[in-house]
Amino acid sequence: MQEATFLILTALANGSQHGYGIITDVEEISGDRIRLRPGTLYTALDRLRADELIGVDREEVVDGRLRRYYRLTPAGTRRLGAEAARLQAHASAALTRLNLAAGTAT
């Protein structure tokens, strides 16, 4: 899973959000490393909807413009959980090896 996709799903794990909310959450979660452009975000959201990992929660009109809120689907929740566990296992292995290397390097 690409990092941006992981972060978008992570942003939605806290509840439904509209595009700008997702963009700001992704920046916050990534420590300002990842800044999604609207075109990139909406392309990813369309793909995630097609994959049934997210769905539209609701729509509203604000200042004459449609605002669409997205939410994780049960499949999206499972996929995010599996990816988080995979990343955690890899990070744990790396940290273990670094600690072992640090112990033998002295």
Side-chain angles (χ1 to χ4, degrees):
M1 179 181 292
Q2 294 179 356
E3 184 176 22
T5 300
F6 179 80
L7 293 171
I8 291 167
L9 294 176
T10 301
L12 291 173
N14 226 17
S16 68
Q17 292 201 64
H18 55 79
Y20 182 74
I22 295 169
I23 288 172
T24 56
D25 261 11
V26 165
E27 286 181 16
E28 181 183 322
I29 294 165
S30 71
D32 290 326
R33 274 187 325 98
I34 306 294
R35 294 182 182 213
L36 296 175
R37 295 181 185 269
T40 302
L41 173 68
Y42 289 104
T43 298
L45 292 174
D46 287 344
R47 182 178 41 77
L48 292 168
R49 283 182 66 198
D51 292 343
E52 299 181 349
L53 298 178
I54 66 169
V56 174
D57 187 51
R58 68 185 185 281
E59 296 177 338
E60 63 185 17
V61 177
V62 177
D63 296 328
R65 298 183 70 195
L66 180 66
R67 181 178 287 173
R68 184 173 286 156
Y69 288 79
Y70 299 89
R71 61 171 169 69
L72 279 178
T73 62
T77 300
R78 287 189 301 274
R79 179 77 187 274
L80 177 60
E83 184 67 7
R86 184 187 73 81
L87 292 171
Q88 186 176 36
H90 289 194
S92 179
L95 291 170
T96 298
R97 288 176 179 232
L98 285 169
N99 285 335
L100 290 174
T104 60
T106 52

